[in-house]
Amino acid sequence: MLATNFGKFTYKNPFMNASGVHCMTIEELDELASSTAGSFVTKSATLEARAGNPEPRYTDLPLGSINSMGLPNLGVDYYLDYAIKKQQEMTQQAPFFFSVAGMSVAENIELLKKIQESDFEGITELNLSCPNVPGKPQVAYDFPLTDQILETVFGFFTKPLGVKLPPYFDLAHFDEMAKILNKYPLTYINSINSIGNALFIDPATDSVVIKPKDGFGGLGGEYVKPTALANVRAFYTRLKPEIKIIGTGGIRNGQDAYEHLLCGASMLQIGTELQKEGPAIFERLTKELAAIMKEKGYQSISEFHGKLKTID
């Protein structure tokens, strides 16, 4: 009932973790792999291990979360070794996802070359919501640079590849980015990353709640769901059909998941709520989504996928 088609693969359900949540160590990744989730993605890896930003760098908020993690991870070799061994254990299942997020464009290229030359045969996610040069926006807000990077990448990378995107807020930007993305053989896009540079104040202390960047951080959870749905829908109606969409942002229950699928997402990543509840959340979400589908008379996701109604 909950099976979802994603390119040439079929997953038992659309749920997975968002990269960065419950995926730092082999132990956490194994917990995801053995959970009810349809798939999982590794921690976004850099070439070398990173400690990340100083604590506190993540805080739960009334309607979500704010973070400035600084890409803490154990280095690409740690995750790549795990991924290659894990795929041998999971030969009968659809492939999982491997995330990279270099601290520069050059590092991203080097990371992808390493994966291309490896025995990993799963799906790679390139995070384009990453730093650029000082004084410039993150890569995916620099349209010419994004085009240049994808042209370079697909000059050598032949394995399934998707890109993680930040939220866009202008229809012209959806048009411009979709035009770029449609030029390349992408497997998918992941939309959205957190809404950047939010600020939350503790009313008891008159202080920000995270230490890095004087309290500025990425906003996630319920706060961002309307923006996430808008981005999923905007790209679903603009991208060529073979580029699938992972919907990320504000999924707390089955109804949130249903709405992402209705807007055109094929897979769903859970971040803030996974951080709060742990991997047991996937069992709850699958039951809630199945109950909504049953109530509406749907036997499969394909019956309502992308079929959002508008008002004449």
Side-chain angles (χ1 to χ4, degrees), residues 11-304:
Y11 291 88
K12 63 181 181 181
N13 66 65
F15 296 107
M16 56 190 293
N17 65 302
S19 183
V21 184
H22 206 90
C23 55
M24 174 72 85
T25 64
I26 286 173
E27 291 74 21
E28 289 182 331
L29 288 164
D30 278 341
E31 288 176 5
L32 291 173
S34 61
S35 75
T36 311
S39 190
F40 66 93
V41 59
T42 62
K43 184 76 177 70
S44 295
T46 49
L47 284 171
E48 304 296 334
R50 287 178 54 85
N53 290 337
E55 302 276 4
R57 58 193 184 189
Y58 173 95
T59 299
D60 287 330
L61 304 179
L63 298 177
S65 64
I66 187 170
N67 83 87
S68 179
M69 300 299 290
L71 283 175
N73 73 96
L74 297 172
V76 65
D77 290 336
Y78 177 90
Y79 300 107
L80 198 52
D81 289 347
Y82 169 83
I84 291 168
K85 292 173 185 174
K86 196 67 179 178
Q87 72 183 3
Q88 295 169 350
E89 299 172 16
M90 301 175 66
T91 52
Q92 303 304 312
Q93 300 180 42
F96 55 89
F97 297 71
F98 190 95
S99 176
V100 294
M103 298 303 292
S104 67
V105 171
E107 185 175 353
N108 275 329
I109 299 300
E110 193 170 347
L111 285 162
L112 290 176
K113 285 183 176 178
K114 193 175 186 72
I115 295 169
Q116 175 67 29
E117 294 164 4
S118 77
D119 292 328
F120 177 66
E121 296 298 336
I123 304 172
T124 301
E125 178 168 290
L126 171 62
N127 188 349
L128 290 179
S129 307
C130 64
N132 189 5
V133 297
K136 294 284 187 178
Q138 56 178 287
V139 168
Y141 287 147
D142 185 330
F143 295 105
L145 180 60
T146 298
D147 195 3
Q148 178 187 329
I149 290 170
L150 291 176
E151 184 177 10
T152 300
V153 166
F154 284 109
F156 68 86
F157 200 83
T158 60
K159 298 178 179 182
L161 180 71
V163 291
K164 187 168 187 176
L165 299 175
Y168 298 95
F169 303 96
D170 194 294
L171 294 179
H173 291 158
F174 291 126
D175 293 339
E176 191 171 354
M177 179 52 71
K179 186 176 180 181
I180 292 167
L181 298 171
N182 279 330
K183 292 167 59 176
Y184 301 101
L186 286 162
T187 299
Y188 72 95
I189 66 162
N190 182 350
S191 183
I192 61 172
N193 206 334
S194 58
I195 295 180
N197 293 319
L199 188 73
F200 191 86
I201 297 171
D202 182 341
T205 62
D206 291 352
S207 170
V208 298
V209 296
I210 57 174
K211 184 175 182 179
K213 295 168 61 178
D214 292 329
F216 284 72
L219 188 68
E222 188 177 351
Y223 296 106
V224 310
K225 190 183 84 166
T227 299
L229 292 176
N231 276 257
V232 168
R233 187 62 182 175
F235 282 117
Y236 180 74
T237 57
R238 287 166 172 80
L239 294 178
K240 55 189 180 183
E242 52 265 42
I243 301 179
K244 302 304 178 184
I245 298 174
I246 296 180
T248 307
I251 300 175
R252 302 166 297 127
N253 54 46
Q255 180 61 32
D256 298 325
Y258 178 84
E259 291 174 12
H260 267 269
L261 296 167
L262 190 67
C263 284
S266 294
M267 295 282 286
L268 308 170
Q269 288 189 357
I270 317 300
T272 297
E273 290 301 312
L274 173 59
Q275 177 70 29
K276 292 180 177 182
E277 292 186 39
I281 190 176
F282 294 113
E283 184 172 1
R284 175 175 70 78
L285 290 174
T286 53
K287 288 179 179 177
E288 291 176 359
L289 177 58
I292 291 170
M293 290 172 59
K294 184 177 180 181
E295 181 182 345
K296 291 178 177 286
Y298 293 125
Q299 300 297 314
S300 68
I301 288 173
S302 62
E303 293 176 39
F304 66 91

